[in-house]
Amino acid sequence: AQTVTQSQPEMSVQEAETVTLSCTYDTSENNYYLFWYKQPPSRQMILVIRQEAYKQQNATENRFSVNFQKAAKSFSLKISDSQLGDTAMYFCAFMKQKSFGNEKLTFGTGTRLTIIP
Amino acid sequence: EAGVAQSPRYKIIEKRQSVAFWCNPISGHATLYWYQQILGQGPKLLIQFQNNGVVDDSQLPKDRFSAERLKGVDSTLKIQPAKLEDSAVYLCASSLERGGPNEQFFGPGTRLTVL
């Protein structure tokens, strides 16, 4: 079974600063995907960024980037130039790879991020 | 494109009562998931459907929870009878059926309070 650990329950940062959220995971799988999801106070979960484990290059989506360390089983999220709209719960999630079809997501416990004006 | 719809948004019941939640996935999405999110925790999968069939229900408390997906579209999750520990947000998600890191699209959730 897979486990995902987020060791920072809460974080806060000034607007326009950079913040890094940590995530570690444990799995015996070699092929898998990792995700960061954002859950604003309205509760709708939104995908922020995804990473395929077979790719060495770290994924980037505008102000969001990851630091994927496969050997260390670490997957951190960096948010640059943080904005008030980034205030939300952030969940790290793991998905086993399948050749076809979909797998479930295994989530961490989340990090509550507050951007301070 | 319409997102995943869920209803009701909120529900308060007494323990031992029954409750049902409804989910309408994004059109064309073959895979549908029900997750339970207890306060302070990440979502946990209860059941996964691929079209009409159940793919994974290993974490569904089958003595009290049931789910169905009629005609491979809408889905209903039922709890009967409810316990205090069932208080949680129930999230429905859907995704396309294909290989790769498919994005799961989530609905707004139903917040259940069991008194």
Side-chain angles (χ1 to χ4, degrees), chain A residues 6 32-35 37 39 41-48 50-52 54 89 91-92 94-110 112, chain B residues 3-4 9-10 30-31 33 35 37 40-45 48 50 55-56 58-59 89 91 95-111:
Chain A
Q6 294 179 250
Y32 52 87
Y33 310 111
L34 295 164
F35 303 81
Y37 275 85
Q39 189 176 42
S42 65
R43 268 207 326 267
Q44 197 114 13
M45 196 89 73
I46 305 165
L47 178 65
V48 175
R50 80 191 90 189
Q51 173 82 40
E52 290 96 322
Y54 64 85
M89 282 290 288
F91 290 97
C92 179
F94 174 101
M95 179 192 289
K96 287 196 297 185
Q97 181 178 336
K98 288 174 70 172
S99 56
F100 190 83
N102 301 299
E103 267 287 344
K104 67 180 180 184
L105 290 166
T106 299
F107 288 89
T109 52
R112 183 177 303 279
Chain B
V4 176
R9 293 293 306 275
Y10 304 90
T31 309
Y33 312 80
Y35 289 89
Q37 186 177 16
Q41 300 181 19
K44 180 188 78 174
L45 181 77
Q48 176 184 343
Q50 188 75 21
V55 174
D56 184 351
S58 57
Q59 304 229 61
V89 175
L91 297 169
S95 63
L96 287 167
E97 179 185 8
R98 55 180 170 84
N102 299 314
E103 178 178 356
Q104 293 185 19
F105 294 84
F106 286 81
T110 297
R111 182 181 297 279

Side-chain angles (χ1 to χ4, degrees), chain A residues 3-116:
Chain A
T3 58
V4 178
T5 302
Q6 294 179 250
S7 58
Q8 305 152 312
E10 293 188 31
M11 296 186 72
S12 60
V13 66
Q14 292 289 139
E15 189 177 5
E17 292 186 347
T18 295
V19 62
T20 299
L21 309 183
S22 301
C23 172
T24 58
Y25 59 94
D26 189 25
T27 184
S28 58
E29 303 285 334
N30 192 48
N31 300 314
Y32 52 87
Y33 310 111
L34 295 164
F35 303 81
W36 279 97
Y37 275 85
K38 169 184 177 181
Q39 189 176 42
S42 65
R43 268 207 326 267
Q44 197 114 13
M45 196 89 73
I46 305 165
L47 178 65
V48 175
I49 198 166
R50 80 191 90 189
Q51 173 82 40
E52 290 96 322
Y54 64 85
K55 290 187 177 179
Q56 292 187 336
Q57 186 172 6
N58 289 322
T60 300
E61 289 286 343
N62 300 314
R63 298 183 295 108
F64 299 88
S65 61
V66 299
N67 183 2
F68 173 49
Q69 303 289 330
K70 190 173 184 180
K73 296 181 180 174
S74 170
F75 183 61
S76 61
L77 173 69
K78 185 170 84 171
I79 306 174
S80 304
D81 185 26
S82 57
Q83 301 174 359
L84 297 179
D86 295 333
T87 293
M89 282 290 288
Y90 286 81
F91 290 97
C92 179
F94 174 101
M95 179 192 289
K96 287 196 297 185
Q97 181 178 336
K98 288 174 70 172
S99 56
F100 190 83
N102 301 299
E103 267 287 344
K104 67 180 180 184
L105 290 166
T106 299
F107 288 89
T109 52
T111 295
R112 183 177 303 279
L113 176 65
T114 302
I115 308 300
I116 304 166

